[in-house]
Amino acid sequence: MIKLRQLMGAACLGMAGSLAYAADAVGEAQKQPLNMTAIMMFFVFVLSTLGITYWAASRTKTTSDFYTAGGGISGFQNGLAIAGDYMSAATLLGLSALTFSKGLDGFIYAIGFFVGWPVILFLMAERLRNLGKFTFADIASYRLDQNRIRTFAAFGSLTVVCFYLIVQMVGAGQLIKLLFGLDYPIAVTVVGVLMVVYVTFGGMIATTWVQIIKACLMLFGGTALLYLSLAQFGFSLESMAAKAVEVHKDGIKIMGPGSLMADPVTAVSLSLGLVFGTAGLPHIMMRFFTVPNAKEARKSVFVASGCIGYFFMVVCILGLAAISIVGTNPAYFEGGVVGGKIIGGGNMPVMHLSMALGGNLFLGFMSAVAFATILAVVSGLALAGASAIAHDLYARIIRKGSASENEEMRVTKFATLALGVVAVVLGIAFEKQNVAFLVGLTFGIAASANFPVLILSMYWKGLTTRGALLGGLIGLLSAVTLVILSKSVWVTVLGNAEPLFPYEQPALFSMPLAFFFTWLFSVTDRSERARKEIDAYDDQYVRSQTGVGAAAASAH
């Protein structure tokens, strides 16, 4: 039986567009026989994306091109790229495994994670595009103290990026060891090298197209497997569900809410972290600066929502199909014992379903697609981290805006290389560590430090530098502290008997603290600077609504 916490983690991080939990969910994966079909398909993907990078390099001439593709990506293309960030291997493996094991709970979680998109669509997309230029810090510091807020925003972004890169790289190594038969250090190094190549030479243009290709491959693979699965049941979902109820050990119980909804505090905290943490992820926010105007920003969220919603439902149905196709076949269980341990680990039912319905060729294709998802996500993370270092810290803080574009580009490429080395080293160092706590920490920081400052800077006239800085820091520190005191660190990592904080997700507690203290320190700030910052809101509001003065798209 797959552990409840593992299933929750794999499913929720699929929503966050990453392999974030794959490392812990896959666990200490046993190295599988070398899958030459998967490796050949992976090489085809890599060669095609390297060709795109070569093409993108000739079009990446300015910092605007590098950070945001010159704002020249259409809403439809950007929507596919955002969907590519979300339709991850963790979604494909974790969410289908959740449905395979728990039934309706998989569908409930898919719907629950999806509701974060209206927040981004209706509250943020248009204002993000009109107010921002390259990074989250551009918006947060629009009318506040540039040095303090930009420094805080940059370090907040780098913290999220680094933690996220660790879980990505550990997940990459374990998953590729499982799917391809490659050694763990080789898998991690390959991902790191390709990430550096994509970002250093192609910037956002290359990263965007890698994500678009990956999204199309994932949609095609999922749809093809859905068609093959439905064909086994006469294209009747009712027949598929009836057969699943008949053969599943829990019977009809899989058609109702199960144990995953038993703890409302954890459920609410997890949902808050995912919904608002997603809106605070730096590599997601950067995507809204790649489109030419606010209209295309809204369109990109609309397209992404459609693709993501469709894919989640496909994945859940695949998990339901696997109950009767994989769950009754002794070939997919260790020792041939039906109902025992699944070969390759508890998150592998959908891969076995690929083998059962499409043979080794289709299994190789789905394995290659799973690897492709890693490259897309880590490229976006590396770009977000490099932009925080070069644009926010170096060009704006250290050089006070006097750095030339060539100088800033050079720093960005060095930063990308450094992040690549750090990601590989940490990925190898954390190979045998339980990195699950980094998941809650990453989303807790994004929801508690980044999101409150971001949303209040756009919507609340009374926000001041003191409020944003102290409130954001309190959100950051409280999220980190609560994760350390939770079971995932205090017990699992540090070896204590009982956790001091009974829940594993901090957002329900740390995010309200961030909002409260941001408000408190802002309303009690009577300084002259605070008065000027409040007065400057009217100008910001006009630009956020009209886009007058916003960065225009580059001509290519």
Side-chain angles (χ1 to χ4, degrees):
M1 175 67 69
I2 305 171
K3 292 182 180 179
L4 176 60
R5 185 168 62 85
Q6 290 176 327
L7 283 168
M8 289 172 64
C12 20
L13 282 164
M15 284 299 308
S18 71
L19 279 173
Y21 205 87
D24 192 58
V26 173
E28 280 301 307
Q30 295 298 313
K31 183 180 175 182
Q32 301 298 300
L34 204 63
N35 188 336
M36 291 308 298
T37 306
I39 291 174
M40 290 301 296
M41 290 185 175
F42 169 68
F43 272 114
V44 170
F45 172 82
V46 169
L47 289 174
S48 64
T49 51
L50 287 176
I52 290 172
T53 303
Y54 178 79
W55 163 80
S58 65
R59 300 165 65 92
T60 303
K61 298 180 175 62
T62 67
T63 52
S64 177
D65 295 334
F66 188 87
Y67 294 135
T68 63
I73 303 297
S74 72
F76 180 79
Q77 293 167 342
N78 195 45
L80 280 176
I82 293 174
D85 264 335
Y86 270 67
M87 296 186 307
S88 66
T91 310
L92 182 65
L93 301 179
L95 199 54
S96 60
L98 182 59
T99 308
F100 176 83
S101 176
K102 298 292 183 181
L104 185 65
D105 277 343
F107 288 86
I108 292 174
Y109 266 76
I111 295 171
F113 300 147
F114 185 67
V115 300
W117 279 100
V119 174
I120 299 176
L121 175 59
F122 294 112
L123 293 182
M124 300 180 67
E126 183 172 347
R127 296 195 181 202
L128 280 171
R129 178 59 188 88
N130 286 340
L131 292 173
K133 186 178 182 182
F134 296 149
T135 66
F136 153 55
D138 289 333
I139 299 171
S141 64
Y142 185 90
R143 59 187 172 91
L144 305 180
D145 183 87
Q146 288 282 323
N147 286 351
R148 294 183 183 181
I149 298 301
R150 198 176 282 278
T151 301
F152 165 75
F155 278 107
S157 296
L158 282 172
T159 302
V160 171
V161 166
C162 288
F163 285 147
Y164 223 10
L165 277 175
I166 292 174
V167 289
Q168 289 288 344
M169 301 305 282
V170 174
Q174 298 293 358
L175 192 59
I176 301 315
K177 181 167 69 173
L178 188 64
L179 297 178
F180 286 78
L182 296 178
D183 290 329
Y184 178 89
I186 294 176
V188 170
T189 303
V190 167
V191 172
V193 169
L194 289 173
M195 172 189 80
V196 171
V197 171
Y198 291 150
V199 176
T200 301
F201 295 101
M204 181 59 85
I205 298 175
T207 300
T208 296
W209 282 101
V210 168
Q211 289 167 332
I212 289 172
I213 292 173
K214 169 252 179 142
C216 293
L217 288 174
M218 191 70 90
L219 286 169
F220 171 78
T223 301
L225 190 55
L226 175 66
Y227 177 85
L228 294 173
S229 300
L230 287 172
Q232 303 297 309
F233 302 93
F235 295 95
S236 170
L237 284 173
E238 184 178 357
S239 299
M240 180 187 291
K243 183 65 175 177
V245 168
E246 179 185 333
V247 302
H248 198 280
K249 63 180 179 61
D250 292 333
I252 193 63
K253 290 182 180 179
I254 65 171
M255 291 299 152
S259 58
L260 295 185
M261 306 303 292
D263 184 356
V265 174
T266 296
V268 171
S269 190
L270 177 65
S271 299
L272 285 175
L274 289 170
V275 170
F276 299 110
T278 298
L281 292 175
H283 67 295
I284 296 296
M285 285 184 281
M286 279 189 74
R287 294 237 55 91
F288 292 100
F289 309 140
T290 64
V291 292
N293 51 54
K295 178 182 177 182
E296 294 299 305
R298 291 193 301 271
K299 184 190 293 185
S300 65
V301 179
F302 179 78
V303 171
S305 300
C307 293
I308 294 166
Y310 167 76
F311 185 73
F312 281 3
M313 294 309 297
V314 166
V315 168
C316 289
I317 294 172
L318 293 179
L320 191 65
I323 292 175
S324 51
I325 297 175
V326 175
T328 59
N329 191 335
Y332 301 115
F333 291 88
E334 293 184 5
V337 180
V338 174
K341 190 175 181 181
I342 294 178
I343 293 175
N347 276 358
M348 298 307 287
V350 74
M351 304 308 292
H352 292 318
L353 184 66
S354 303
M355 180 66 184
L357 301 180
N360 192 57
L361 184 66
F362 196 66
L363 173 62
F365 171 77
M366 295 301 289
S367 299
V369 169
F371 204 168
T373 66
I374 304 167
L375 300 179
V377 176
V378 296
S379 296
L381 285 168
L383 189 58
S387 65
I389 294 172
H391 178 66
D392 294 324
L393 294 179
Y394 178 78
R396 300 291 177 173
I397 304 300
I398 297 175
R399 293 299 306 276
K400 308 294 184 183
S402 64
S404 67
E405 285 204 349
N406 289 337
E407 196 176 349
E408 187 174 336
M409 286 281 287
R410 187 165 60 250
V411 173
T412 304
K413 293 180 179 182
F414 279 121
T416 303
L417 180 60
L419 283 171
V421 172
V422 168
V424 171
V425 170
L426 290 177
I428 294 175
F430 276 76
E431 176 186 1
K432 300 185 183 301
Q433 300 298 315
N434 184 320
V435 296
F437 72 94
L438 291 178
V439 172
L441 184 56
T442 300
F443 278 87
I445 291 171
S448 306
N450 292 357
F451 177 73
V453 173
L454 178 67
I455 199 72
L456 290 176
S457 69
M458 291 192 292
Y459 278 94
W460 185 38
K461 183 174 184 176
L463 182 68
T464 68
T465 295
R466 189 179 78 166
L469 190 61
L470 294 178
L473 285 173
I474 289 173
L476 171 64
L477 293 175
S478 61
V480 172
T481 301
L482 292 179
V483 170
I484 291 174
L485 298 180
S486 71
K487 180 182 177 181
S488 57
V489 177
W490 196 251
V491 176
T492 306
V493 177
L494 300 180
N496 293 293
E498 295 291 335
L500 298 181
F501 177 66
Y503 308 105
E504 296 197 19
Q505 300 296 329
L508 179 60
F509 307 93
S510 56
M511 192 170 75
L513 284 176
F515 274 107
F516 173 75
F517 283 108
T518 301
W519 168 82
L520 178 65
F521 287 119
S522 291
V523 297
T524 56
D525 188 352
R526 307 298 183 187
S527 66
E528 179 63 20
R529 185 183 65 190
R531 186 189 63 77
K532 291 179 179 179
E533 290 168 351
I534 293 171
D535 291 341
Y537 177 79
D538 292 333
D539 172 69
Q540 175 184 310
Y541 179 79
V542 171
R543 175 164 159 177
S544 71
Q545 295 295 311
T546 64
V548 173
S554 300
H556 289 294

